[in-house]
PDB file of all heavy atoms in Angstrom:
ATOM      1  N   GLU A   1      10.970   9.482   0.753  1.00 95.00           N
ATOM      2  CA  GLU A   1       9.548   9.500   1.103  1.00 95.00           C
ATOM      3  C   GLU A   1       8.706   9.305  -0.136  1.00 95.00           C
ATOM      4  O   GLU A   1       9.163   9.502  -1.258  1.00 95.00           O
ATOM      5  CB  GLU A   1       9.160  10.834   1.743  1.00 95.00           C
ATOM      6  CG  GLU A   1       9.896  11.161   3.004  1.00 95.00           C
ATOM      7  CD  GLU A   1       9.475  12.496   3.600  1.00 95.00           C
ATOM      8  OE1 GLU A   1       8.500  13.097   3.115  1.00 95.00           O
ATOM      9  OE2 GLU A   1      10.133  12.934   4.550  1.00 95.00           O
ATOM     10  N   GLY A   2       7.441   8.946   0.092  1.00 96.00           N
ATOM     11  CA  GLY A   2       6.512   8.822  -1.018  1.00 96.00           C
ATOM     12  C   GLY A   2       5.160   8.344  -0.540  1.00 96.00           C
ATOM     13  O   GLY A   2       4.871   8.356   0.664  1.00 96.00           O
ATOM     14  N   MET A   3       4.346   7.926  -1.497  1.00 96.00           N
ATOM     15  CA  MET A   3       3.015   7.431  -1.160  1.00 96.00           C
ATOM     16  C   MET A   3       2.555   6.416  -2.186  1.00 96.00           C
ATOM     17  O   MET A   3       3.022   6.381  -3.319  1.00 96.00           O
ATOM     18  CB  MET A   3       2.007   8.563  -1.075  1.00 96.00           C
ATOM     19  CG  MET A   3       1.579   9.108  -2.411  1.00 96.00           C
ATOM     20  SD  MET A   3       0.131  10.144  -2.258  1.00 96.00           S
ATOM     21  CE  MET A   3       0.093  10.878  -3.876  1.00 96.00           C
ATOM     22  N   VAL A   4       1.615   5.591  -1.727  1.00 97.00           N
ATOM     23  CA  VAL A   4       0.937   4.622  -2.577  1.00 97.00           C
ATOM     24  C   VAL A   4      -0.551   4.931  -2.500  1.00 97.00           C
ATOM     25  O   VAL A   4      -1.086   5.136  -1.412  1.00 97.00           O
ATOM     26  CB  VAL A   4       1.196   3.175  -2.092  1.00 97.00           C
ATOM     27  CG1 VAL A   4       0.357   2.174  -2.871  1.00 97.00           C
ATOM     28  CG2 VAL A   4       2.676   2.840  -2.188  1.00 97.00           C
ATOM     29  N   GLN A   5      -1.192   4.980  -3.653  1.00 96.00           N
ATOM     30  CA  GLN A   5      -2.649   5.108  -3.717  1.00 96.00           C
ATOM     31  C   GLN A   5      -3.175   3.837  -4.362  1.00 96.00           C
ATOM     32  O   GLN A   5      -2.727   3.464  -5.447  1.00 96.00           O
ATOM     33  CB  GLN A   5      -3.067   6.329  -4.538  1.00 96.00           C
ATOM     34  CG  GLN A   5      -2.675   7.634  -3.891  1.00 96.00           C
ATOM     35  CD  GLN A   5      -3.037   8.827  -4.766  1.00 96.00           C
ATOM     36  OE1 GLN A   5      -2.656   8.890  -5.929  1.00 96.00           O
ATOM     37  NE2 GLN A   5      -3.763   9.759  -4.198  1.00 96.00           N
ATOM     38  N   ALA A   6      -4.101   3.162  -3.681  1.00 97.00           N
ATOM     39  CA  ALA A   6      -4.664   1.909  -4.185  1.00 97.00           C
ATOM     40  C   ALA A   6      -6.179   2.026  -4.225  1.00 97.00           C
ATOM     41  O   ALA A   6      -6.790   2.662  -3.354  1.00 97.00           O
ATOM     42  CB  ALA A   6      -4.254   0.750  -3.289  1.00 97.00           C
ATOM     43  N   PHE A   7      -6.775   1.389  -5.227  1.00 96.00           N
ATOM     44  CA  PHE A   7      -8.216   1.462  -5.440  1.00 96.00           C
ATOM     45  C   PHE A   7      -8.764   0.071  -5.722  1.00 96.00           C
ATOM     46  O   PHE A   7      -8.290  -0.621  -6.619  1.00 96.00           O
ATOM     47  CB  PHE A   7      -8.534   2.377  -6.628  1.00 96.00           C
ATOM     48  CG  PHE A   7      -7.992   3.764  -6.462  1.00 96.00           C
ATOM     49  CD1 PHE A   7      -6.704   4.074  -6.884  1.00 96.00           C
ATOM     50  CD2 PHE A   7      -8.757   4.750  -5.865  1.00 96.00           C
ATOM     51  CE1 PHE A   7      -6.191   5.351  -6.719  1.00 96.00           C
ATOM     52  CE2 PHE A   7      -8.253   6.035  -5.694  1.00 96.00           C
ATOM     53  CZ  PHE A   7      -6.969   6.330  -6.127  1.00 96.00           C
ATOM     54  N   ARG A   8      -9.757  -0.318  -4.945  1.00 96.00           N
ATOM     55  CA  ARG A   8     -10.469  -1.578  -5.151  1.00 96.00           C
ATOM     56  C   ARG A   8     -11.785  -1.244  -5.854  1.00 96.00           C
ATOM     57  O   ARG A   8     -12.589  -0.465  -5.350  1.00 96.00           O
ATOM     58  CB  ARG A   8     -10.750  -2.252  -3.810  1.00 96.00           C
ATOM     59  CG  ARG A   8     -11.539  -3.531  -3.938  1.00 96.00           C
ATOM     60  CD  ARG A   8     -11.881  -4.087  -2.575  1.00 96.00           C
ATOM     61  NE  ARG A   8     -12.623  -5.334  -2.691  1.00 96.00           N
ATOM     62  CZ  ARG A   8     -13.266  -5.900  -1.702  1.00 96.00           C
ATOM     63  NH1 ARG A   8     -13.265  -5.352  -0.498  1.00 96.00           N
ATOM     64  NH2 ARG A   8     -13.923  -7.024  -1.903  1.00 96.00           N
ATOM     65  N   ARG A   9     -11.996  -1.846  -7.004  1.00 96.00           N
ATOM     66  CA  ARG A   9     -13.228  -1.568  -7.741  1.00 96.00           C
ATOM     67  C   ARG A   9     -14.398  -2.357  -7.161  1.00 96.00           C
ATOM     68  O   ARG A   9     -14.232  -3.306  -6.397  1.00 96.00           O
ATOM     69  CB  ARG A   9     -13.015  -1.888  -9.209  1.00 96.00           C
ATOM     70  CG  ARG A   9     -11.972  -0.932  -9.818  1.00 96.00           C
ATOM     71  CD  ARG A   9     -12.294  -0.561 -11.227  1.00 96.00           C
ATOM     72  NE  ARG A   9     -11.415   0.473 -11.717  1.00 96.00           N
ATOM     73  CZ  ARG A   9     -10.362   0.249 -12.502  1.00 96.00           C
ATOM     74  NH1 ARG A   9     -10.043  -0.971 -12.868  1.00 96.00           N
ATOM     75  NH2 ARG A   9      -9.639   1.261 -12.924  1.00 96.00           N
ATOM     76  N   GLY A  10     -15.596  -1.953  -7.559  1.00 94.00           N
ATOM     77  CA  GLY A  10     -16.832  -2.427  -6.953  1.00 94.00           C
ATOM     78  C   GLY A  10     -17.128  -3.907  -7.047  1.00 94.00           C
ATOM     79  O   GLY A  10     -17.857  -4.439  -6.223  1.00 94.00           O
ATOM     80  N   GLN A  11     -16.581  -4.601  -8.032  1.00 96.00           N
ATOM     81  CA  GLN A  11     -16.877  -6.023  -8.175  1.00 96.00           C
ATOM     82  C   GLN A  11     -15.693  -6.923  -7.816  1.00 96.00           C
ATOM     83  O   GLN A  11     -15.736  -8.131  -8.062  1.00 96.00           O
ATOM     84  CB  GLN A  11     -17.347  -6.306  -9.605  1.00 96.00           C
ATOM     85  CG  GLN A  11     -18.657  -5.614  -9.927  1.00 96.00           C
ATOM     86  CD  GLN A  11     -19.068  -5.808 -11.379  1.00 96.00           C
ATOM     87  OE1 GLN A  11     -18.496  -6.604 -12.104  1.00 96.00           O
ATOM     88  NE2 GLN A  11     -20.077  -5.060 -11.805  1.00 96.00           N
ATOM     89  N   SER A  12     -14.671  -6.338  -7.191  1.00 95.00           N
ATOM     90  CA  SER A  12     -13.513  -7.143  -6.799  1.00 95.00           C
ATOM     91  C   SER A  12     -13.850  -7.997  -5.586  1.00 95.00           C
ATOM     92  O   SER A  12     -14.380  -7.508  -4.596  1.00 95.00           O
ATOM     93  CB  SER A  12     -12.323  -6.245  -6.456  1.00 95.00           C
ATOM     94  OG  SER A  12     -11.283  -7.022  -5.919  1.00 95.00           O
ATOM     95  N   ASN A  13     -13.543  -9.286  -5.662  1.00 94.00           N
ATOM     96  CA  ASN A  13     -13.774 -10.214  -4.559  1.00 94.00           C
ATOM     97  C   ASN A  13     -12.608 -10.251  -3.573  1.00 94.00           C
ATOM     98  O   ASN A  13     -12.689 -10.931  -2.557  1.00 94.00           O
ATOM     99  CB  ASN A  13     -14.018 -11.631  -5.096  1.00 94.00           C
ATOM    100  CG  ASN A  13     -15.311 -11.709  -5.862  1.00 94.00           C
ATOM    101  OD1 ASN A  13     -16.280 -11.040  -5.520  1.00 94.00           O
ATOM    102  ND2 ASN A  13     -15.328 -12.508  -6.914  1.00 94.00           N
ATOM    103  N   HIS A  14     -11.533  -9.543  -3.864  1.00 94.00           N
ATOM    104  CA  HIS A  14     -10.324  -9.593  -3.048  1.00 94.00           C
ATOM    105  C   HIS A  14     -10.227  -8.366  -2.147  1.00 94.00           C
ATOM    106  O   HIS A  14     -10.246  -7.241  -2.635  1.00 94.00           O
ATOM    107  CB  HIS A  14      -9.084  -9.686  -3.933  1.00 94.00           C
ATOM    108  CG  HIS A  14      -9.140 -10.828  -4.889  1.00 94.00           C
ATOM    109  ND1 HIS A  14      -8.938 -12.138  -4.493  1.00 94.00           N
ATOM    110  CD2 HIS A  14      -9.420 -10.873  -6.218  1.00 94.00           C
ATOM    111  CE1 HIS A  14      -9.061 -12.930  -5.547  1.00 94.00           C
ATOM    112  NE2 HIS A  14      -9.360 -12.180  -6.596  1.00 94.00           N
ATOM    113  N   GLU A  15     -10.116  -8.595  -0.834  1.00 95.00           N
ATOM    114  CA  GLU A  15      -9.979  -7.494   0.123  1.00 95.00           C
ATOM    115  C   GLU A  15      -8.532  -7.051   0.291  1.00 95.00           C
ATOM    116  O   GLU A  15      -8.280  -5.976   0.817  1.00 95.00           O
ATOM    117  CB  GLU A  15     -10.512  -7.900   1.502  1.00 95.00           C
ATOM    118  CG  GLU A  15     -12.007  -7.920   1.591  1.00 95.00           C
ATOM    119  CD  GLU A  15     -12.498  -8.087   3.020  1.00 95.00           C
ATOM    120  OE1 GLU A  15     -11.695  -7.953   3.967  1.00 95.00           O
ATOM    121  OE2 GLU A  15     -13.692  -8.349   3.174  1.00 95.00           O
ATOM    122  N   ILE A  16      -7.584  -7.885  -0.116  1.00 96.00           N
ATOM    123  CA  ILE A  16      -6.165  -7.575   0.046  1.00 96.00           C
ATOM    124  C   ILE A  16      -5.453  -7.759  -1.286  1.00 96.00           C
ATOM    125  O   ILE A  16      -5.699  -8.727  -2.010  1.00 96.00           O
ATOM    126  CB  ILE A  16      -5.513  -8.487   1.103  1.00 96.00           C
ATOM    127  CG1 ILE A  16      -6.164  -8.260   2.468  1.00 96.00           C
ATOM    128  CG2 ILE A  16      -4.005  -8.243   1.184  1.00 96.00           C
ATOM    129  CD1 ILE A  16      -5.671  -9.189   3.549  1.00 96.00           C
ATOM    130  N   ALA A  17      -4.571  -6.813  -1.584  1.00 96.00           N
ATOM    131  CA  ALA A  17      -3.715  -6.917  -2.760  1.00 96.00           C
ATOM    132  C   ALA A  17      -2.285  -6.591  -2.342  1.00 96.00           C
ATOM    133  O   ALA A  17      -2.065  -5.855  -1.379  1.00 96.00           O
ATOM    134  CB  ALA A  17      -4.189  -5.970  -3.860  1.00 96.00           C
ATOM    135  N   HIS A  18      -1.311  -7.169  -3.053  1.00 96.00           N
ATOM    136  CA  HIS A  18       0.103  -6.926  -2.774  1.00 96.00           C
ATOM    137  C   HIS A  18       0.696  -6.147  -3.947  1.00 96.00           C
ATOM    138  O   HIS A  18       0.472  -6.504  -5.112  1.00 96.00           O
ATOM    139  CB  HIS A  18       0.863  -8.242  -2.594  1.00 96.00           C
ATOM    140  CG  HIS A  18       0.491  -8.963  -1.353  1.00 96.00           C
ATOM    141  ND1 HIS A  18      -0.638  -9.725  -1.240  1.00 96.00           N
ATOM    142  CD2 HIS A  18       1.095  -8.997  -0.144  1.00 96.00           C
ATOM    143  CE1 HIS A  18      -0.710 -10.224  -0.024  1.00 96.00           C
ATOM    144  NE2 HIS A  18       0.330  -9.801   0.660  1.00 96.00           N
ATOM    145  N   PHE A  19       1.459  -5.120  -3.614  1.00 97.00           N
ATOM    146  CA  PHE A  19       2.064  -4.261  -4.631  1.00 97.00           C
ATOM    147  C   PHE A  19       3.562  -4.143  -4.372  1.00 97.00           C
ATOM    148  O   PHE A  19       3.974  -3.693  -3.299  1.00 97.00           O
ATOM    149  CB  PHE A  19       1.428  -2.865  -4.606  1.00 97.00           C
ATOM    150  CG  PHE A  19      -0.056  -2.891  -4.776  1.00 97.00           C
ATOM    151  CD1 PHE A  19      -0.891  -2.661  -3.692  1.00 97.00           C
ATOM    152  CD2 PHE A  19      -0.635  -3.161  -6.003  1.00 97.00           C
ATOM    153  CE1 PHE A  19      -2.270  -2.685  -3.832  1.00 97.00           C
ATOM    154  CE2 PHE A  19      -2.013  -3.199  -6.151  1.00 97.00           C
ATOM    155  CZ  PHE A  19      -2.825  -2.957  -5.076  1.00 97.00           C
ATOM    156  N   LYS A  20       4.365  -4.563  -5.333  1.00 97.00           N
ATOM    157  CA  LYS A  20       5.813  -4.412  -5.226  1.00 97.00           C
ATOM    158  C   LYS A  20       6.160  -2.959  -5.500  1.00 97.00           C
ATOM    159  O   LYS A  20       5.875  -2.435  -6.584  1.00 97.00           O
ATOM    160  CB  LYS A  20       6.521  -5.335  -6.220  1.00 97.00           C
ATOM    161  CG  LYS A  20       6.399  -6.797  -5.858  1.00 97.00           C
ATOM    162  CD  LYS A  20       7.178  -7.664  -6.815  1.00 97.00           C
ATOM    163  CE  LYS A  20       7.052  -9.134  -6.430  1.00 97.00           C
ATOM    164  NZ  LYS A  20       7.827  -9.991  -7.333  1.00 97.00           N
ATOM    165  N   LEU A  21       6.766  -2.322  -4.495  1.00 98.00           N
ATOM    166  CA  LEU A  21       7.108  -0.917  -4.637  1.00 98.00           C
ATOM    167  C   LEU A  21       8.387  -0.764  -5.442  1.00 98.00           C
ATOM    168  O   LEU A  21       9.122  -1.729  -5.666  1.00 98.00           O
ATOM    169  CB  LEU A  21       7.239  -0.265  -3.256  1.00 98.00           C
ATOM    170  CG  LEU A  21       5.981  -0.334  -2.385  1.00 98.00           C
ATOM    171  CD1 LEU A  21       6.142   0.565  -1.161  1.00 98.00           C
ATOM    172  CD2 LEU A  21       4.722   0.029  -3.144  1.00 98.00           C
ATOM    173  N   ARG A  22       8.646   0.447  -5.884  1.00 97.00           N
ATOM    174  CA  ARG A  22       9.785   0.725  -6.751  1.00 97.00           C
ATOM    175  C   ARG A  22      10.579   1.895  -6.197  1.00 97.00           C
ATOM    176  O   ARG A  22      10.064   2.716  -5.447  1.00 97.00           O
ATOM    177  CB  ARG A  22       9.270   1.056  -8.160  1.00 97.00           C
ATOM    178  CG  ARG A  22       8.215   0.101  -8.680  1.00 97.00           C
ATOM    179  CD  ARG A  22       8.590  -0.777  -9.824  1.00 97.00           C
ATOM    180  NE  ARG A  22       9.282  -0.171 -10.909  1.00 97.00           N
ATOM    181  CZ  ARG A  22       8.733   0.270 -12.032  1.00 97.00           C
ATOM    182  NH1 ARG A  22       7.422   0.219 -12.190  1.00 97.00           N
ATOM    183  NH2 ARG A  22       9.468   0.769 -12.996  1.00 97.00           N
ATOM    184  N   GLY A  23      11.836   1.971  -6.589  1.00 95.00           N
ATOM    185  CA  GLY A  23      12.664   3.124  -6.272  1.00 95.00           C
ATOM    186  C   GLY A  23      13.134   3.229  -4.831  1.00 95.00           C
ATOM    187  O   GLY A  23      13.701   4.253  -4.445  1.00 95.00           O
ATOM    188  N   LEU A  24      12.915   2.198  -4.015  1.00 97.00           N
ATOM    189  CA  LEU A  24      13.290   2.265  -2.606  1.00 97.00           C
ATOM    190  C   LEU A  24      14.716   1.778  -2.388  1.00 97.00           C
ATOM    191  O   LEU A  24      15.288   1.089  -3.221  1.00 97.00           O
ATOM    192  CB  LEU A  24      12.326   1.419  -1.761  1.00 97.00           C
ATOM    193  CG  LEU A  24      10.840   1.752  -1.850  1.00 97.00           C
ATOM    194  CD1 LEU A  24      10.047   0.866  -0.890  1.00 97.00           C
ATOM    195  CD2 LEU A  24      10.581   3.215  -1.562  1.00 97.00           C
ATOM    196  N   ASP A  25      15.268   2.116  -1.231  1.00 96.00           N
ATOM    197  CA  ASP A  25      16.580   1.647  -0.809  1.00 96.00           C
ATOM    198  C   ASP A  25      16.396   0.273  -0.169  1.00 96.00           C
ATOM    199  O   ASP A  25      15.769   0.150   0.888  1.00 96.00           O
ATOM    200  CB  ASP A  25      17.161   2.645   0.194  1.00 96.00           C
ATOM    201  CG  ASP A  25      18.527   2.246   0.731  1.00 96.00           C
ATOM    202  OD1 ASP A  25      18.983   1.112   0.480  1.00 96.00           O
ATOM    203  OD2 ASP A  25      19.127   3.088   1.416  1.00 96.00           O
ATOM    204  N   ALA A  26      16.933  -0.749  -0.795  1.00 96.00           N
ATOM    205  CA  ALA A  26      16.737  -2.122  -0.314  1.00 96.00           C
ATOM    206  C   ALA A  26      17.314  -2.331   1.079  1.00 96.00           C
ATOM    207  O   ALA A  26      16.825  -3.156   1.847  1.00 96.00           O
ATOM    208  CB  ALA A  26      17.366  -3.119  -1.285  1.00 96.00           C
ATOM    209  N   GLY A  27      18.344  -1.574   1.458  1.00 95.00           N
ATOM    210  CA  GLY A  27      18.983  -1.746   2.750  1.00 95.00           C
ATOM    211  C   GLY A  27      18.380  -0.915   3.874  1.00 95.00           C
ATOM    212  O   GLY A  27      18.847  -0.984   5.003  1.00 95.00           O
ATOM    213  N   ALA A  28      17.347  -0.159   3.578  1.00 96.00           N
ATOM    214  CA  ALA A  28      16.743   0.726   4.582  1.00 96.00           C
ATOM    215  C   ALA A  28      15.430   0.150   5.095  1.00 96.00           C
ATOM    216  O   ALA A  28      14.871  -0.773   4.506  1.00 96.00           O
ATOM    217  CB  ALA A  28      16.483   2.104   3.979  1.00 96.00           C
ATOM    218  N   GLU A  29      14.964   0.711   6.200  1.00 97.00           N
ATOM    219  CA  GLU A  29      13.631   0.414   6.701  1.00 97.00           C
ATOM    220  C   GLU A  29      12.740   1.612   6.418  1.00 97.00           C
ATOM    221  O   GLU A  29      13.211   2.753   6.384  1.00 97.00           O
ATOM    222  CB  GLU A  29      13.658   0.127   8.204  1.00 97.00           C
ATOM    223  CG  GLU A  29      14.271  -1.207   8.534  1.00 97.00           C
ATOM    224  CD  GLU A  29      14.015  -1.618   9.972  1.00 97.00           C
ATOM    225  OE1 GLU A  29      13.789  -0.735  10.823  1.00 97.00           O
ATOM    226  OE2 GLU A  29      14.036  -2.831  10.234  1.00 97.00           O
ATOM    227  N   TYR A  30      11.456   1.336   6.234  1.00 97.00           N
ATOM    228  CA  TYR A  30      10.486   2.384   5.931  1.00 97.00           C
ATOM    229  C   TYR A  30       9.330   2.310   6.914  1.00 97.00           C
ATOM    230  O   TYR A  30       8.838   1.224   7.221  1.00 97.00           O
ATOM    231  CB  TYR A  30       9.962   2.228   4.500  1.00 97.00           C
ATOM    232  CG  TYR A  30      11.007   2.569   3.466  1.00 97.00           C
ATOM    233  CD1 TYR A  30      11.935   1.635   3.034  1.00 97.00           C
ATOM    234  CD2 TYR A  30      11.074   3.853   2.941  1.00 97.00           C
ATOM    235  CE1 TYR A  30      12.912   1.956   2.110  1.00 97.00           C
ATOM    236  CE2 TYR A  30      12.046   4.187   2.005  1.00 97.00           C
ATOM    237  CZ  TYR A  30      12.960   3.242   1.600  1.00 97.00           C
ATOM    238  OH  TYR A  30      13.928   3.578   0.681  1.00 97.00           O
ATOM    239  N   VAL A  31       8.918   3.477   7.375  1.00 97.00           N
ATOM    240  CA  VAL A  31       7.729   3.580   8.213  1.00 97.00           C
ATOM    241  C   VAL A  31       6.581   3.940   7.285  1.00 97.00           C
ATOM    242  O   VAL A  31       6.625   4.970   6.597  1.00 97.00           O
ATOM    243  CB  VAL A  31       7.901   4.651   9.317  1.00 97.00           C
ATOM    244  CG1 VAL A  31       6.625   4.784  10.129  1.00 97.00           C
ATOM    245  CG2 VAL A  31       9.077   4.306  10.209  1.00 97.00           C
ATOM    246  N   LEU A  32       5.561   3.082   7.250  1.00 97.00           N
ATOM    247  CA  LEU A  32       4.403   3.277   6.378  1.00 97.00           C
ATOM    248  C   LEU A  32       3.185   3.592   7.237  1.00 97.00           C
ATOM    249  O   LEU A  32       2.947   2.927   8.242  1.00 97.00           O
ATOM    250  CB  LEU A  32       4.142   2.012   5.558  1.00 97.00           C
ATOM    251  CG  LEU A  32       5.290   1.605   4.638  1.00 97.00           C
ATOM    252  CD1 LEU A  32       6.077   0.484   5.258  1.00 97.00           C
ATOM    253  CD2 LEU A  32       4.772   1.231   3.290  1.00 97.00           C
ATOM    254  N   THR A  33       2.429   4.597   6.829  1.00 96.00           N
ATOM    255  CA  THR A  33       1.233   5.001   7.568  1.00 96.00           C
ATOM    256  C   THR A  33       0.050   5.068   6.621  1.00 96.00           C
ATOM    257  O   THR A  33       0.105   5.756   5.598  1.00 96.00           O
ATOM    258  CB  THR A  33       1.431   6.371   8.243  1.00 96.00           C
ATOM    259  OG1 THR A  33       2.577   6.309   9.089  1.00 96.00           O
ATOM    260  CG2 THR A  33       0.208   6.764   9.057  1.00 96.00           C
ATOM    261  N   ASN A  34      -1.008   4.346   6.964  1.00 95.00           N
ATOM    262  CA  ASN A  34      -2.251   4.385   6.207  1.00 95.00           C
ATOM    263  C   ASN A  34      -3.012   5.624   6.668  1.00 95.00           C
ATOM    264  O   ASN A  34      -3.403   5.719   7.837  1.00 95.00           O
ATOM    265  CB  ASN A  34      -3.062   3.115   6.459  1.00 95.00           C
ATOM    266  CG  ASN A  34      -4.314   3.041   5.626  1.00 95.00           C
ATOM    267  OD1 ASN A  34      -5.038   4.025   5.478  1.00 95.00           O
ATOM    268  ND2 ASN A  34      -4.595   1.872   5.085  1.00 95.00           N
ATOM    269  N   LEU A  35      -3.199   6.590   5.782  1.00 91.00           N
ATOM    270  CA  LEU A  35      -3.852   7.840   6.167  1.00 91.00           C
ATOM    271  C   LEU A  35      -5.326   7.661   6.491  1.00 91.00           C
ATOM    272  O   LEU A  35      -5.911   8.491   7.194  1.00 91.00           O
ATOM    273  CB  LEU A  35      -3.678   8.900   5.077  1.00 91.00           C
ATOM    274  CG  LEU A  35      -2.248   9.364   4.818  1.00 91.00           C
ATOM    275  CD1 LEU A  35      -2.241  10.467   3.763  1.00 91.00           C
ATOM    276  CD2 LEU A  35      -1.576   9.833   6.093  1.00 91.00           C
ATOM    277  N   ASP A  36      -5.937   6.588   6.008  1.00 88.00           N
ATOM    278  CA  ASP A  36      -7.359   6.357   6.270  1.00 88.00           C
ATOM    279  C   ASP A  36      -7.594   5.746   7.647  1.00 88.00           C
ATOM    280  O   ASP A  36      -8.555   6.072   8.323  1.00 88.00           O
ATOM    281  CB  ASP A  36      -7.959   5.457   5.182  1.00 88.00           C
ATOM    282  CG  ASP A  36      -7.850   6.104   3.808  1.00 88.00           C
ATOM    283  OD1 ASP A  36      -8.272   7.259   3.674  1.00 88.00           O
ATOM    284  OD2 ASP A  36      -7.321   5.453   2.898  1.00 88.00           O
ATOM    285  N   THR A  37      -6.690   4.863   8.065  1.00 90.00           N
ATOM    286  CA  THR A  37      -6.867   4.174   9.344  1.00 90.00           C
ATOM    287  C   THR A  37      -5.963   4.713  10.445  1.00 90.00           C
ATOM    288  O   THR A  37      -6.205   4.464  11.621  1.00 90.00           O
ATOM    289  CB  THR A  37      -6.584   2.663   9.205  1.00 90.00           C
ATOM    290  OG1 THR A  37      -5.193   2.485   8.897  1.00 90.00           O
ATOM    291  CG2 THR A  37      -7.458   2.031   8.137  1.00 90.00           C
ATOM    292  N   GLY A  38      -4.891   5.394  10.050  1.00 90.00           N
ATOM    293  CA  GLY A  38      -3.921   5.886  11.015  1.00 90.00           C
ATOM    294  C   GLY A  38      -2.931   4.833  11.466  1.00 90.00           C
ATOM    295  O   GLY A  38      -2.025   5.116  12.246  1.00 90.00           O
ATOM    296  N   GLU A  39      -3.067   3.602  10.987  1.00 94.00           N
ATOM    297  CA  GLU A  39      -2.169   2.511  11.378  1.00 94.00           C
ATOM    298  C   GLU A  39      -0.807   2.672  10.708  1.00 94.00           C
ATOM    299  O   GLU A  39      -0.721   3.038   9.541  1.00 94.00           O
ATOM    300  CB  GLU A  39      -2.764   1.165  10.987  1.00 94.00           C
ATOM    301  CG  GLU A  39      -4.043   0.828  11.718  1.00 94.00           C
ATOM    302  CD  GLU A  39      -4.683  -0.464  11.224  1.00 94.00           C
ATOM    303  OE1 GLU A  39      -4.080  -1.149  10.370  1.00 94.00           O
ATOM    304  OE2 GLU A  39      -5.774  -0.773  11.697  1.00 94.00           O
ATOM    305  N   SER A  40       0.250   2.387  11.484  1.00 96.00           N
ATOM    306  CA  SER A  40       1.617   2.460  10.973  1.00 96.00           C
ATOM    307  C   SER A  40       2.307   1.119  11.139  1.00 96.00           C
ATOM    308  O   SER A  40       1.966   0.344  12.032  1.00 96.00           O
ATOM    309  CB  SER A  40       2.416   3.530  11.723  1.00 96.00           C
ATOM    310  OG  SER A  40       1.955   4.812  11.413  1.00 96.00           O
ATOM    311  N   GLN A  41       3.285   0.891  10.282  1.00 96.00           N
ATOM    312  CA  GLN A  41       4.118  -0.300  10.380  1.00 96.00           C
ATOM    313  C   GLN A  41       5.487   0.029   9.798  1.00 96.00           C
ATOM    314  O   GLN A  41       5.624   0.958   9.001  1.00 96.00           O
ATOM    315  CB  GLN A  41       3.486  -1.486   9.650  1.00 96.00           C
ATOM    316  CG  GLN A  41       3.299  -1.275   8.158  1.00 96.00           C
ATOM    317  CD  GLN A  41       2.673  -2.475   7.475  1.00 96.00           C
ATOM    318  OE1 GLN A  41       2.973  -3.613   7.800  1.00 96.00           O
ATOM    319  NE2 GLN A  41       1.807  -2.219   6.512  1.00 96.00           N
TER     320      GLN A  41
END
């Protein structure tokens, strides 16, 4: 288990960013939940 915290600064023109995660099991699946929106994938 773990978490990602991401921050978009005030003058960024990009609404989406991609972040390569670390330390995960490549052969496993992960359920990710955005605590702000409640959306899971």
